[in-house]
Amino acid sequence: MTIDMSQFFQVFFDEAEELLAEKEKLLLGVDVSSPDPEDLNAIFRAAHSIKGGASTFGLTDMSEVTHILESLLDKIRKGEMSLTAEHVDAFLAAKDVLKMQLDGHRLGSAVDLDAVGDVRMLLQSFVQEDFKPKASPAPALAPIAQATQPEEKYLHCFRVSFKGVKDADLTLLTSELALLGSASSEKNGEGQDSIVLQTNGTIDDILAVCSFIVDADNMLISEEKMLEASKAKELTEDELGYGFFEPIESMFPPEDKPIVEQAKSESAPVHDSNNNSSKNSVKKEAEKNAAGHESTTIRVGIEKVDQIINLIGELVITQAMLTQRTQDLDPVSNERLLSSVAHLTRNTRDLQEAVMSIRMMPMDYVFSRFPRMVRDLAHKLGKKVEFVTYGASTELDKGLIERIVDPLTHLVRNSIDHGIEMPTTRVENGKGEVGKLSLSAVHQGGNIVIEVCDDGGGLHREKILAKAKQSGLNVSDSMSDPEVWQLIFAPGFSTAEVVTDVSGRGVGMDVVKRNITQMGGVVDIRSARGFGTTITISLPLTLAILDGMSIKVGEEIYILPLGFVVESLQPQSEDIKEINGKGRVIKVRQEYLPLIPLFETFNIEPKHRDPANGITVIVEVDGRKAALFVDDLVGQQQVVVKNIESNYRKIPGISGATILGDGGVSFILDVAAILRSVR
């Protein structure tokens, strides 16, 4: 029976990428002088699984690299070769090559064949070198199995039988399976070629090794008694729950998951192992773990989640309409109806929060990218850096988490390049030669606060001011430290004396701030000379839902994002001053703020033209304040944000739109853009 394997490619791509990320994480944390056996086994399993899956799908370029990588890892984990820093560098380079090959198959991106060849030669040179074991070598690690067992004591004995296998392939299969334990080839009871394997591994491991050479549907795996391995009778398929497998059943199972999937397909019928009465305790435990795994996670396309969120948004709008329609009803005669509407409101709010949480992703998705970058950049600059993260489980909306990667990358690079000093300089200043760089994330109210903190030299006030004056910026020596620190976000600003491929061109920090501001966030800097710098980013948890203040200008209602609002007041005539050719300002507690009449900004006929008869709303963006002149305050509400640019076009001063309870459309103000236009 022929099965279209292309439908499973995406599963392989996703799982291979996860395995590569896990492999890199383990390599970056491994102690070269005394590696943890479990870490080495986990790294080996990752390479082993990728090789098996790549072979199943015919991706020979990946399977060739992982085959050499697996051989080298196997020598190290068995204590036949000592792990060195050079090995770790080679393994990380192999990870990069495998990721490049994976992207080439998945996205069609270019693959540097020279880089692939260099990595293969490097790995092969390590495999072929005659490394002498240590004087007191570590005990051999149990292949694949989690428990540490003496190499000669195996937990299982399997017979692997083949249909139509060549003698040369049988020899190769025997040598490959020998990596898992003690293997010998012979004939089974039916005269078929078979290999008897004593191992601490699992059936999944056997399948991964054999699928590199022979199709899974041409092999049969059965378990035999340890003491009578060569004479034991083969168990039937019904007794084992395993048989001659269709390709679908060998799809890259997780480590503890049985080969047979728990789902049934008409095109590829499989055995339901839950109905078997096998006494294999290892297999039962694996099924238990797999069942638990499948019951707690599910892969869903992001477009489906977005569709649900949009529908929930429409439900919220409909609920708001019902609430508004019932406000004028007699509460006595319509008590049951009003109670039902109130109940619907509560359920809608709970449903909205539950659905929005589906789009939330842990910050570890972002944080996990940096250990490798920090390691490579610190090595390149000749610095020693300890990188730590806090709050990796803190969640943020997927849309924001993807957009925060680039700003954080620039901030981390700056901390290593500009912040943390060279080891000799740190020692001269009474510090340890290893600098500390930390990334943290924590929820505060409706926001997430992300901090990039280093214990380096801190910002140099005088140097920044001198550079700002040289660049023609309007600065003075009386500026406060926070105001001086904000100067580094000016376009083209850089205090680096030498332009390198890391920094010095003055491009980046202005983009960082602009991107964060566009996400509705703010950036703050705290620094102490000689003690380090902390950059704090505050972001809303999601861009799909917004807490806003409804304001009225003429007959139009606008939504003002509540995060920008400081206060609202009704000014006195004497507090409003006219500046020739510069507009008007308003005095608020000894501070003069620019006054922005929104009816002029949007060319609307207002209800009031005199600010003393209307309302002013004080807003703040990036430490700068302004007063918005409006006719009335309508109220505060939570609104569902609709993208107006994709449905119409970009409108100056408008960031989006929402639908009100009466069915009307209301624009959401882009406060940052409005303040920039005034400046």
Side-chain angles (χ1 to χ4, degrees):
M1 179 169 52
T2 302
I3 296 178
D4 180 14
M5 303 287 284
S6 61
Q7 59 182 313
F8 303 107
F9 268 66
Q10 190 57 47
V11 176
F12 164 70
F13 291 147
D14 291 342
E15 294 186 352
E17 187 159 12
E18 291 172 4
L19 288 167
L20 287 173
E22 180 65 17
K23 175 173 173 281
E24 181 179 82
K25 182 179 179 181
L26 290 167
L27 286 170
L28 292 173
V30 72
D31 183 355
V32 176
S33 60
S34 180
D36 185 348
E38 292 302 320
D39 288 345
L40 293 179
N41 271 333
I43 296 169
F44 175 84
R45 283 195 298 270
H48 193 64
S49 298
I50 294 172
K51 186 187 82 168
S55 301
T56 301
F57 288 103
L59 309 180
T60 56
D61 55 344
M62 294 184 66
S63 61
E64 288 171 356
V65 174
T66 48
H67 182 62
I68 305 172
L69 178 63
E70 181 187 48
S71 300
L72 180 56
L73 284 166
D74 191 55
K75 286 179 176 289
I76 294 173
R77 74 193 191 105
K78 286 183 175 179
E80 298 174 4
M81 182 182 294
S82 300
L83 180 67
T84 66
E86 289 74 17
H87 286 139
V88 175
D89 291 338
F91 296 154
L92 289 171
K95 179 265 173 184
D96 293 339
V97 162
L98 288 169
K99 180 66 167 64
M100 178 173 59
Q101 292 174 325
L102 188 69
D103 290 340
H105 291 295
R106 177 171 51 179
L107 307 174
S109 56
V111 176
D112 186 348
L113 297 180
D114 290 337
V116 176
D118 291 343
V119 167
R120 287 184 59 185
M121 290 178 62
L122 178 61
L123 294 174
Q124 193 66 49
S125 67
F126 281 125
V127 173
Q128 293 174 348
E129 283 183 15
D130 185 19
F131 279 81
K132 294 183 180 180
K134 300 176 184 177
S136 300
L141 303 179
I144 303 302
Q146 296 287 334
T148 302
Q149 299 282 345
E151 189 173 4
E152 67 277 3
K153 294 182 180 178
Y154 297 108
L155 299 177
H156 313 292
C157 181
F158 296 104
R159 179 181 293 276
V160 189
S161 301
F162 304 96
K163 292 192 301 186
V165 66
K166 298 178 182 178
D167 291 341
D169 288 338
L170 183 64
T171 302
L172 182 58
L173 284 163
T174 305
S175 63
E176 287 290 319
L177 287 174
L179 292 173
L180 301 179
S182 174
S184 60
S185 60
E186 57 181 60
K187 298 288 185 180
N188 65 9
E190 299 176 1
Q192 290 178 317
D193 291 316
S194 65
I195 297 174
V196 176
L197 172 67
Q198 295 187 29
T199 179
N200 290 324
T202 65
I203 293 180
D204 289 346
D205 302 319
I206 297 173
L207 183 67
V209 170
C210 293
S211 61
F212 181 67
I213 302 166
V214 65
D215 290 338
D217 54 350
N218 289 330
M219 55 185 288
L220 173 69
I221 305 174
S222 57
E223 184 161 7
E224 303 185 347
K225 295 180 181 179
M226 290 293 295
L227 296 179
E228 301 177 8
S230 61
K231 300 179 181 179
K233 176 181 176 294
E234 277 192 13
L235 300 180
T236 64
E237 287 184 19
D238 291 336
E239 289 173 318
L240 280 171
Y242 299 94
F244 287 101
F245 307 120
E246 297 293 343
I248 188 176
E249 297 168 354
S250 61
M251 288 300 101
F252 244 135
E255 300 162 16
D256 294 327
K257 185 175 177 182
I259 298 170
V260 181
E261 295 287 347
Q262 299 302 311
K264 295 182 179 179
S265 168
E266 293 181 2
S267 61
V270 296
H271 303 289
D272 186 351
S273 57
N274 288 333
N275 293 330
N276 298 320
S277 57
S278 171
K279 298 180 180 180
N280 188 334
S281 60
V282 176
K283 179 187 156 193
K284 286 184 177 179
E285 184 64 25
E287 290 174 352
K288 179 181 177 181
N289 293 341
H293 177 75
E294 291 186 354
S295 65
T296 56
T297 60
I298 183 172
R299 291 185 186 273
V300 178
I302 190 63
E303 66 280 354
K304 292 183 179 180
V305 176
D306 289 339
Q307 183 181 14
I308 293 175
I309 290 175
N310 288 334
L311 291 173
I312 292 296
E314 298 300 326
L315 179 61
V316 170
I317 293 169
T318 304
Q319 174 268 319
M321 291 179 178
L322 288 174
T323 301
Q324 185 166 327
R325 296 290 191 277
T326 57
Q327 283 180 345
D328 299 330
L329 296 179
D330 181 12
V332 177
S333 58
N334 298 281
E335 180 182 0
R336 296 180 63 183
L337 174 61
L338 293 175
S339 176
S340 298
V341 171
H343 192 62
L344 174 64
T345 301
R346 289 192 300 271
N347 288 345
T348 303
R349 173 71 63 129
D350 292 342
L351 180 61
Q352 180 188 39
E353 291 177 356
V355 172
M356 290 306 301
S357 68
I358 297 176
R359 274 187 61 96
M360 305 299 279
M361 295 178 63
M363 284 299 295
D364 187 53
Y365 177 83
V366 177
F367 287 178
S368 62
R369 300 166 183 247
F370 293 111
R372 174 73 183 280
M373 189 192 80
V374 171
R375 176 186 185 272
D376 292 347
L377 186 57
H379 179 74
K380 182 176 184 178
L381 297 174
K383 297 181 179 181
K384 296 182 179 180
V385 180
E386 177 192 359
F387 180 67
V388 295
T389 60
Y390 305 97
S393 60
T394 305
E395 293 185 328
L396 181 64
D397 184 271
K398 182 181 185 296
L400 287 172
I401 217 166
E402 291 173 344
R403 293 167 61 182
I404 197 64
V405 171
D406 287 342
L408 280 182
T409 299
H410 194 87
L411 293 178
V412 169
R413 290 172 65 90
N414 266 13
S415 292
I416 299 172
D417 189 26
H418 296 300
I420 296 177
E421 314 95 325
M422 297 295 290
T424 53
T425 304
R426 291 181 62 86
V427 172
E428 290 171 0
N429 294 332
K431 299 181 179 180
E433 63 176 9
V434 180
K436 185 176 181 180
L437 174 63
S438 66
L439 261 179
S440 64
V442 64
H443 284 160
Q444 289 186 3
N447 293 334
I448 183 173
V449 177
I450 305 169
E451 287 192 345
V452 181
C453 181
D454 68 69
D455 67 346
L459 297 179
H460 199 299
R461 175 186 171 92
E462 290 72 21
K463 197 173 183 179
I464 293 174
L465 283 173
K467 184 65 177 182
K469 292 175 182 178
Q470 181 183 341
S471 302
L473 298 178
N474 185 20
V475 297
S476 67
D477 293 336
S478 61
M479 294 174 65
S480 65
D481 283 348
E483 290 175 324
V484 174
W485 307 151
Q486 289 293 322
L487 293 174
I488 69 174
F489 292 113
F493 189 90
S494 176
T495 58
E497 298 176 359
V498 179
V499 175
T500 67
D501 58 349
V502 177
S503 63
R505 294 179 175 82
V507 179
M509 292 301 284
D510 59 323
V511 177
V512 168
K513 187 166 187 177
R514 182 167 67 248
N515 289 346
I516 292 172
T517 302
Q518 288 174 350
M519 290 186 278
V522 294
V523 188
D524 180 54
I525 300 178
R526 302 189 307 276
S527 183
R529 187 66 185 155
F531 293 94
T533 302
T534 298
I535 300 179
T536 303
I537 301 171
S538 180
L539 291 170
L541 292 179
T542 177
L543 296 181
I545 304 294
L546 178 73
D547 286 318
M549 176 184 289
S550 303
I551 57 175
K552 194 168 187 179
V553 181
E555 297 301 319
E556 300 292 333
I557 293 180
Y558 295 95
I559 302 297
L560 185 61
L562 206 56
F564 296 111
V565 177
V566 178
E567 61 179 319
S568 60
L569 52 89
Q570 188 167 20
Q572 302 297 318
S573 298
E574 58 269 21
D575 292 331
I576 302 169
K577 307 294 182 183
E578 186 82 25
I579 301 178
N580 291 334
K582 301 292 184 181
R584 287 179 289 185
V585 296
I586 180 173
K587 183 180 180 182
V588 180
R589 289 186 290 277
Q590 308 307 314
E591 183 180 10
Y592 284 96
L593 306 176
L595 183 64
I596 306 174
L598 285 184
F599 71 88
E600 293 181 1
T601 302
F602 297 114
N603 194 24
I604 299 173
E605 183 60 34
K607 179 180 178 181
H608 305 293
R609 289 186 175 272
D610 184 357
N613 297 327
I615 300 291
T616 56
V617 181
I618 310 301
V619 294
E620 182 176 8
V621 179
D622 297 339
R624 296 176 181 266
K625 294 181 180 179
L628 304 181
F629 169 34
V630 303
D631 288 331
D632 294 295
L633 300 181
V634 179
Q636 179 180 334
Q637 64 185 107
Q638 193 175 60
V639 298
V640 178
V641 179
K642 300 289 185 180
N643 189 316
I644 194 171
E645 189 172 347
S646 61
N647 295 295
Y648 177 53
R649 63 178 175 84
K650 186 171 180 60
I651 303 176
I654 301 297
S655 63
T658 189
I659 301 177
L660 302 176
D662 60 2
V665 175
S666 178
F667 291 123
I668 301 171
L669 299 183
D670 186 344
V671 181
I674 292 174
L675 265 62
R676 282 198 302 269
S677 66
V678 172
R679 293 174 196 166

